[in-house]
Amino acid sequence: MGNDLLLKQEQKQILSPALIQSLKLLLLPSMEFAAYLEEQLTENPVLELEEDAVEPPRAGAEQAEPYRLLSTAAGWTEHESWDGGGYYGGDDTDDAPLPQFGVTHQHNSLQQMLLLQLAMSGCDEQTAQAARAIIAALDDDGYLRLSTAELAAYSGRPETLFKQALTLVQGLEPAGVAARDLAECMLLQLDKNAADYPLYAAIINGHLTELATDKRKQVARQIGVSEDKVAAAFAYLRGLDPHPAAYGGDDTQVQYIIPDIVVRKAEGGYQVFLNDKYHPRLRISSYYRDLSGDALNSNEVKEYIQQRINAAAMLLRNIERRHQTIYKLACIVVDKQRGFLDHGLEQLQPLTLREVAELAELHESTVSRAICGKYIETPRGVYPWKFFFPRAYTSDEGDSVSAVWVKSLISELIAGEDKRRPLSDRQIEEKLAERGVSVARRTVAKYRGSMNIPKQSYRRRG
């Protein structure tokens, strides 16, 4: 067998360093993007922070108007930056958002479940805003560690509003959520119409230590009931969940959500801002620009400085490209989900990456990278960007409804069920069919699990 010299022609796609960096920047969520910029600032000596914290206006920025309904993404080349006003309660208007607190991944699942139920409650917008602030302030176990007075002082709203909202949130599932302490958590899980409720409440309010140490005789003597009744009450109370948010959760570190896009209601539509408040503003140092042309420097020094300047210029171009892409996609999403922003969850429209990609004249994979791990703050709360891309279902009337809407219906049915006889997944499937939405039982089970709602046997009370 001899060695032959062959000439072979083939096509390969090789990504340039600029394109690789552009794709990487697009994929990074807000805080990781800020960390990457800090890293580049350290590694490249020609980069420096802008001395003025306020970004100089881009060309055409003076003509910027509130975002209005648009039918095409063509021609969108500029974006506005969000300066953070109102994000932490700085805006004292009635529509100003209430504070967003740190959450974990597990806790975020609880938040989503509670927000779905809240959207179905029919409460007024001010109460809903206060309720969303309470939901955001819950800790990993589902407890509210802030008082209504502290929440009121933080937001500048009346405490009575937060007391009303707290009652609303405490009525949501899972039972016991938003309690201020263990006793209240247990009381919230009780059926007030049950015959033994007075006995249960008396033990919780005055004998939790005895319950923990199983001192039945002492409690029976003090309350004035038989030891057998106390034993049965102890057995029931020990079955209550002291951690209402812990269904299927794990121990994760607190991660603060910084939205990449902020949407504000404006006259005639919605205004979209790029939230780059936490990103370092970089520029190329004029000192190094001068050094690159200094005749006194050697060719090696000039070449090194020029390489660093070229790398910095590429980074700045890719930063601007990332901003423009994310802003353009946000405008399209806001356009498509105007019904949700105006009216709530029922009007959330099914949306696919392909639809948005066609409007933005981008590849579908670019849209997928742009929305990955990112959040949008809207007048209705902070949502993962993927929330606005729900799967479509068709009702009996032929209308298209979103998977998120189906989840909200499931959550609503479970919230209103008889806790002594909770609904099975098959019964939920049948009740959805009665409302004109055809969903398989296994899909009901999948959606219920994704909302961290336990199965039928674990939801039974009494």
Side-chain angles (χ1 to χ4, degrees):
M1 181 181 294
N3 293 327
D4 294 329
L5 185 64
L6 298 176
L7 196 61
K8 183 179 180 182
Q9 185 178 14
E10 63 179 3
Q11 287 185 333
K12 287 185 178 180
Q13 185 178 24
I14 301 176
L15 299 180
S16 67
L19 183 55
I20 292 173
Q21 185 185 69
S22 177
L23 295 175
K24 179 178 180 178
L25 293 181
L26 189 61
L27 186 63
L28 294 176
S30 183
M31 296 311 291
E32 286 85 345
F33 176 68
Y36 180 80
L37 296 187
E38 293 283 1
E39 178 184 323
Q40 293 300 305
L41 180 64
T42 303
E43 292 180 356
N44 193 335
V46 308
L47 285 172
E48 65 180 11
L49 288 172
E50 290 185 2
E51 295 177 359
D52 189 353
V54 179
E55 184 178 3
R58 297 182 176 88
E62 61 276 5
Q63 288 87 27
E65 295 182 353
Y67 166 73
R68 301 181 190 280
L69 293 181
L70 302 172
S71 59
T72 175
W76 290 347
T77 58
E78 301 294 340
H79 66 268
E80 295 183 73
S81 296
W82 174 243
D83 62 6
Y87 182 63
Y88 290 102
D91 190 339
D92 58 0
T93 63
D94 288 341
D95 292 330
L98 291 168
Q100 300 295 332
F101 295 83
V103 296
T104 63
H105 295 299
Q106 169 193 340
H107 186 51
N108 192 37
S109 298
L110 173 69
Q111 281 191 325
Q112 291 174 7
M113 174 184 170
L114 294 174
L115 288 171
L116 286 172
Q117 297 175 67
L118 178 63
M120 301 298 300
S121 68
C123 66
D124 62 88
E125 183 57 28
Q126 282 201 352
T127 304
Q129 285 189 3
R132 285 194 288 267
I134 290 171
I135 290 170
L138 301 180
D139 69 8
D140 292 345
D141 291 326
Y143 284 84
L144 180 64
R145 303 301 184 184
L146 298 175
S147 67
T148 53
E150 289 173 317
L151 287 167
Y154 189 88
S155 66
R157 306 293 177 87
E159 185 180 359
T160 53
L161 176 64
F162 282 93
K163 288 181 177 180
Q164 180 183 353
L166 179 59
T167 301
L168 173 63
V169 175
Q170 288 181 342
L172 304 178
E173 287 291 323
V177 74
R180 272 74 59 86
D181 53 39
L182 176 60
E184 185 177 32
C185 178
M186 297 176 71
L187 288 170
L188 289 171
Q189 297 178 55
L190 298 179
D191 180 2
K192 292 185 178 181
N193 296 319
D196 290 328
Y197 175 80
L199 174 59
Y200 297 155
I203 294 173
I204 291 172
N205 288 324
H207 303 281
L208 277 182
T209 302
E210 290 83 354
L211 172 63
T213 54
D214 200 29
K215 295 181 178 178
R216 308 176 189 178
K217 291 183 179 180
Q218 183 177 334
V219 173
R221 184 173 61 253
Q222 292 177 355
I223 295 180
V225 296
S226 69
E227 188 177 339
D228 289 341
K229 290 204 71 173
V230 171
F234 275 19
Y236 175 76
L237 294 176
R238 287 186 181 125
L240 300 180
D241 194 344
H243 308 289
Y247 294 121
D250 55 5
D251 293 330
T252 52
Q253 297 297 316
V254 173
Q255 296 187 356
Y256 290 89
I257 291 175
I258 303 296
D260 294 80
I261 290 292
V262 177
V263 179
R264 289 286 175 264
K265 191 170 181 60
E267 184 179 354
Y270 289 88
Q271 192 168 7
V272 177
F273 298 94
L274 183 72
N275 185 19
D276 55 1
K277 176 184 177 183
Y278 301 96
H279 304 160
R281 310 289 178 88
L282 305 181
R283 68 182 180 190
I284 298 175
S285 168
S286 58
Y287 170 75
Y288 282 98
R289 283 191 186 276
D290 294 339
L291 277 183
S292 67
D294 194 331
L296 298 178
N297 290 323
S298 65
N299 290 334
E300 290 80 5
V301 172
K302 290 181 181 179
E303 183 179 354
Y304 171 76
I305 294 175
Q306 192 57 52
Q307 287 176 352
R308 295 292 83 201
I309 289 176
N310 291 341
M314 180 178 72
L315 174 65
L316 296 180
R317 286 194 299 270
N318 284 331
I319 290 172
E320 183 63 21
R321 185 176 292 114
R322 175 189 186 272
H323 290 347
Q324 291 180 359
T325 300
I326 291 176
Y327 179 74
K328 178 190 291 187
L329 295 176
C331 288
I332 295 173
V333 169
V334 168
D335 189 357
K336 289 293 184 180
Q337 300 298 1
R338 173 70 180 266
F340 166 75
L341 296 173
D342 285 343
H343 306 292
L345 197 61
E346 186 174 357
Q347 295 298 318
L348 185 66
Q349 298 299 311
L351 189 63
T352 65
L353 296 177
R354 178 174 295 180
E355 291 177 65
V356 174
E358 289 176 354
L359 287 172
E361 299 180 347
L362 295 170
H363 194 275
E364 193 173 331
S365 64
T366 302
V367 179
S368 178
R369 285 187 180 92
I371 71 172
C372 181
K374 299 179 180 66
Y375 289 80
I376 298 180
E377 182 191 347
T378 75
R380 294 191 173 273
V382 178
Y383 296 90
W385 207 327
K386 289 186 177 181
F387 169 84
F388 297 96
F389 290 81
R391 178 181 170 185
Y393 284 92
T394 304
S395 67
D396 290 348
E397 290 77 18
D399 298 326
S400 183
V401 296
S402 69
V404 177
W405 175 241
V406 174
K407 287 184 179 181
S408 73
L409 292 178
I410 294 173
S411 180
E412 177 191 5
L413 289 170
I414 292 175
E417 69 187 358
D418 183 348
K419 300 307 173 189
R420 291 169 294 186
R421 292 184 293 275
L423 298 171
S424 66
D425 292 340
R426 178 68 68 187
Q427 290 171 317
I428 294 174
E429 175 193 359
E430 294 169 354
K431 288 185 177 293
L432 289 175
E434 292 173 4
R435 298 193 181 194
V437 180
S438 179
V439 179
R441 183 199 59 77
R442 63 180 179 274
T443 303
V444 172
K446 182 178 79 171
Y447 285 173
R448 175 182 52 72
S450 71
M451 294 185 289
N452 281 344
I453 300 177
K455 59 184 181 180
Q456 178 190 26
S457 59
Y458 290 104
R459 299 199 310 271
R460 185 173 288 111
R461 298 282 187 268

